[in-house]
Amino acid sequence: MTRRTHAALAAAIAATLTLALGACSSTGSGSGADEKSLTTAGDGIVGGTPVRGGTLHVLADQDFSDLDPTRNWVEPEMDFGIRYLYRTLTTFKAEPGSGGLQIVPDLATDLGEPSDGDRTWTFHLKDGLKYEDGSPIVADDIKYNVERSFSPDLPGGPDYAKMYLNAPADYQGPLHGQRLGPSAIEVPDAKTIIFHLKRPVAEFGYTVTLPTFAPVPIAKDTGVNYANHPFSSGPYKIQSYDRGKQLVLVRNPYWDAATDPVRKAYPDKIVVDQTLSSTNVADRMIADQNEDQDAISYADLDPSKVSSVITDPTVRSRLVSENSNCDALLDMDTSKPPFNNQNLRLAVEYAVDKSAYQAAAGGPALADIATTYLPPELTGGSSVDHFKIPPGGDLDKAKQYLAAGGSPGGFSTTLTVANTEEQRAESLQASLKRVGINVTINAVDPSVAYSVEGNKNTQTGLSLAGWCPDYPSAATFLPMMFDSRIISDVGNQGNITRFTDPSVDAEMDRIAGLTDVNAANQAWQALDAKIMDEAPAIPLAWQKKPLLVGSNIAGAFGAPVWSAQIDYATVGLKSLK
């Protein structure tokens, strides 16, 4: 899924970390903790097991970009929506570490019944499933939401249904009354849904963990306004939502825990404050006063506050920070000049100073330099250095590519970033200027960044964003990032670079049909190398996600899926006051 990369962690953090974490140096000397100091302590869970009741406060520096399950493909709000407001056919266990990578039935009774060589998948719904008004959840509601994902009026969501389903090429969704026929989706009764795919998809049981496969009842659909009040199938429902200010959730009285062993639903109420800056959030979480003791941070740890956390054991014990398994990427719009020129893209690849970017992202304690698109977790546990470019770049090689691309003196372009990431953007601006590439920074509010980057008319030459696996498979990385068949003019959340190579598309299809997992993994890594050579995007860093929680918070851990965001399924209060 797409995601805003972590809030800008200033280059000053690197100095702070060097002082506080002496063993971060290559010599390994010094008395400070090593770079794992910013990993969740102990068993990975902060606070033990929560009690039932109370109000959980969530301190945020932005509104949700979209809580409509059809359009929700951005972290961390996908975690928030799936754990609180809507259920899917299958879902991930709520556990830290490898346990949290396992899927279990959610609305469905099992993980799906494949047939026809994994081209047909059948799911049966559990008994007793209800919406927030007590009405039953039926299979056609899931079909309807899947159909919504085809609508050009509802852009930006996961593209898997469009990629996988045997649907007509010109299908435009159900908002004007047109439904998909049985060649794509069958609903033989209220509790059975059958998906017919264009090709074998052995991982389809994982695919249906996505919010595309949550139910939306036709009678409650409000089209583009559905994000303001998605009709709940989860443990909570919306009591009030003042966009950009506050969201309040209360219990859904018709949610039945007997049908849902994953979501623990400890708090009685959840209040999300969206009016704060990242600095405000950090200050309040560190101070840990009054109701903030019952709060968790939605915003990543502010750069200016890192020293206050890592030098205070009491505060550091309340830090949740795990590997996100996400790429931070410098995306280039390959559909128009200058980046429709492969040589100029390679010039950027060689000119970027990734060590400076790493420092701006928090240094080695919070970010590793990325050298391929696929993170180490998807390349056998160790990183692959494809180009073997020095971390500071290779300026001579960059100048050679500029000359080969017809711009020996460099060129000018614009970089769009969320305004929380300007310091990272400035590190890139400075490194590219060394070879005559002049970058203007276009900083926008985080809640609209994806809509700017995903619109062909407002997209700039460069964008700073990232990509996370929807589940632990390379099939959720490269096809979502570089398949030309999912590009859309507006709401383009996959393939932000608008990269088009029919041979790459064909190879993705071939790999997807492989039944040998090892052969598929090797093929994905080879394809990663091929796309790296074409350089539509620059992998910059693989990062951790640092989040603080209050002293009365329990059950908090970084989910191994959803970019290491706190798993909302289990978080709650230690005690009721």
Side-chain angles (χ1 to χ4, degrees):
M1 79 289 291
T2 49
R3 61 183 292 272
R4 289 260 56 82
T5 51
H6 303 304
L9 294 167
I13 295 180
T16 301
L17 291 170
T18 301
L19 291 172
L21 308 178
C24 283
S25 66
S26 59
T27 63
S29 61
S31 59
D34 65 17
E35 65 184 51
K36 292 183 179 179
S37 294
L38 292 189
T39 298
T40 314
D43 62 0
I45 301 176
V46 173
T49 302
V51 297
R52 182 178 172 86
T55 298
L56 173 69
H57 295 270
V58 182
L59 305 187
D61 61 347
Q62 60 184 280
D63 191 4
F64 300 107
S65 58
D66 212 307
L67 286 177
D68 183 331
T70 297
R71 308 177 72 176
N72 189 347
W73 205 18
V74 176
E75 283 303 342
E77 58 217 55
M78 196 162 84
D79 172 21
F80 188 93
I82 288 173
R83 291 318 207 189
Y84 282 159
L85 293 172
Y86 27 83
R87 298 175 64 181
T88 48
L89 286 170
T90 65
T91 195
F92 287 93
K93 283 186 175 181
E95 296 180 11
S98 59
L101 298 175
Q102 299 176 39
I103 57 171
V104 293
D106 192 359
L107 294 174
T109 58
D110 56 27
L111 301 181
E113 303 168 7
S115 58
D116 188 26
D118 292 334
R119 290 179 175 85
T120 299
W121 284 78
T122 301
F123 296 87
H124 301 283
L125 301 189
K126 295 173 181 175
D127 294 329
L129 302 173
K130 296 180 180 180
Y131 289 109
E132 63 179 75
D133 65 350
S135 59
I137 296 170
V138 296
D140 190 63
D141 298 342
I142 298 170
K143 178 187 177 188
Y144 180 70
N145 191 39
V146 173
E147 291 169 338
R148 293 172 85 243
S149 72
F150 286 80
S151 174
D153 297 322
L154 303 173
D159 292 313
Y160 293 91
K162 287 184 280 189
M163 292 180 65
Y164 292 165
L165 283 178
N166 186 35
D170 60 351
Y171 182 61
Q172 298 289 296
L175 297 188
H176 303 291
Q178 187 177 6
R179 306 293 304 276
L180 283 173
S183 63
I185 306 177
E186 293 181 75
V187 181
D189 58 58
K191 294 179 63 178
T192 305
I193 186 166
I194 305 170
F195 298 97
H196 297 284
L197 313 182
K198 299 174 185 175
R199 54 178 172 77
V201 181
E203 300 171 343
F204 197 69
Y206 283 86
T207 304
V208 297
T209 63
L210 292 164
T212 310
F213 300 89
V216 172
I218 296 175
K220 298 297 183 180
D221 189 9
T222 54
V224 296
N225 295 314
Y226 192 70
N228 296 329
H229 193 130
F231 201 59
S232 179
S233 56
Y236 297 93
K237 63 180 181 178
I238 293 176
Q239 182 182 73
S240 62
Y241 189 10
D242 188 355
R243 296 295 302 261
K245 295 181 180 179
Q246 186 185 74
L247 171 69
V248 179
L249 304 183
V250 294
R251 290 192 183 278
N252 170 7
Y254 295 100
W255 170 78
D256 184 356
T259 71
D260 188 351
V262 173
R263 298 168 184 83
K264 302 307 180 184
Y266 289 116
D268 288 334
K269 179 185 285 189
I270 296 127
V271 178
V272 184
D273 183 348
Q274 302 173 329
T275 64
L276 307 171
S277 69
S278 60
T279 305
N280 296 148
V281 173
D283 284 340
R284 287 176 55 173
M285 296 306 305
I286 291 169
D288 194 40
Q289 298 295 309
N290 303 318
E291 67 181 23
D292 292 341
Q293 295 177 353
D294 302 339
I296 62 175
S297 174
Y298 188 85
D300 292 358
L301 183 62
D302 185 86
S304 63
K305 307 299 177 180
V306 170
S307 62
S308 300
V309 174
I310 63 178
T311 59
D312 186 331
T314 302
V315 178
R316 193 167 66 194
S317 70
R318 297 188 282 109
L319 180 72
V320 176
S321 182
E322 298 295 340
N323 291 321
S324 69
N325 299 327
C326 302
D327 286 353
L329 296 164
L330 181 60
D331 290 321
M332 293 174 274
D333 182 356
T334 66
S335 69
K336 55 193 175 189
F339 297 118
N340 59 349
N341 185 317
Q342 182 180 358
N343 283 311
L344 297 185
R345 299 196 300 267
L346 285 165
V348 174
E349 176 76 60
Y350 279 84
V352 164
D353 183 347
K354 292 186 181 182
S355 59
Y357 182 88
Q358 182 190 43
L366 286 180
D368 293 326
I369 289 174
T371 49
T372 55
Y373 300 125
L374 294 177
E377 289 74 12
L378 298 179
T379 57
S382 59
S383 61
V384 176
D385 191 349
H386 180 71
F387 286 115
K388 296 180 173 57
I389 303 171
D394 184 334
L395 303 189
D396 289 338
K397 194 75 175 236
K399 291 174 183 178
Q400 292 175 23
Y401 278 115
L402 284 172
S407 297
F411 56 87
S412 297
T413 189
T414 299
L415 168 60
T416 294
V417 297
N419 56 23
T420 53
E421 300 176 332
E422 285 190 74
Q423 288 172 311
R424 297 182 184 207
E426 288 167 358
S427 75
L428 296 169
Q429 181 186 51
S431 63
L432 294 177
K433 189 174 180 61
R434 299 179 299 173
V435 295
I437 301 174
N438 298 306
V439 175
T440 299
I441 297 173
N442 174 40
V444 300
D445 188 86
S447 64
V448 301
Y450 279 124
S451 62
V452 172
E453 295 163 0
N455 186 320
K456 73 173 185 178
N457 294 320
T458 57
Q459 184 174 2
T460 55
L462 298 171
S463 301
L464 184 58
W467 195 264
C468 307
D470 288 308
Y471 47 86
S473 168
T476 72
F477 246 76
L478 299 183
M480 299 298 110
M481 294 168 65
F482 300 118
D483 190 326
S484 68
R485 295 163 293 188
I486 64 172
I487 297 171
S488 58
D489 290 346
V490 178
N492 186 44
Q493 295 295 294
N495 200 345
I496 294 295
T497 64
R498 300 182 184 273
F499 171 74
T500 301
D501 184 336
S503 69
V504 168
D505 295 346
E507 179 63 1
M508 289 177 183
D509 290 346
R510 186 191 73 82
I511 299 171
L514 294 176
T515 57
D516 185 317
V517 174
N518 290 330
N521 288 339
Q522 292 174 7
W524 284 124
Q525 291 183 48
L527 184 59
D528 183 282
K530 172 180 170 60
I531 301 172
M532 284 286 295
D533 286 336
E534 298 195 51
I538 314 300
L540 298 169
W542 298 307
Q543 297 177 266
K544 292 182 179 179
K545 188 170 184 66
L547 299 162
L548 280 172
V549 303
S551 59
N552 194 39
I553 291 296
F557 62 87
V561 293
W562 300 320
S563 73
Q565 176 68 24
I566 291 172
D567 195 326
Y568 294 102
T570 61
V571 70
L573 307 185
K574 282 184 185 176
S575 63
L576 303 181
K577 299 174 182 177

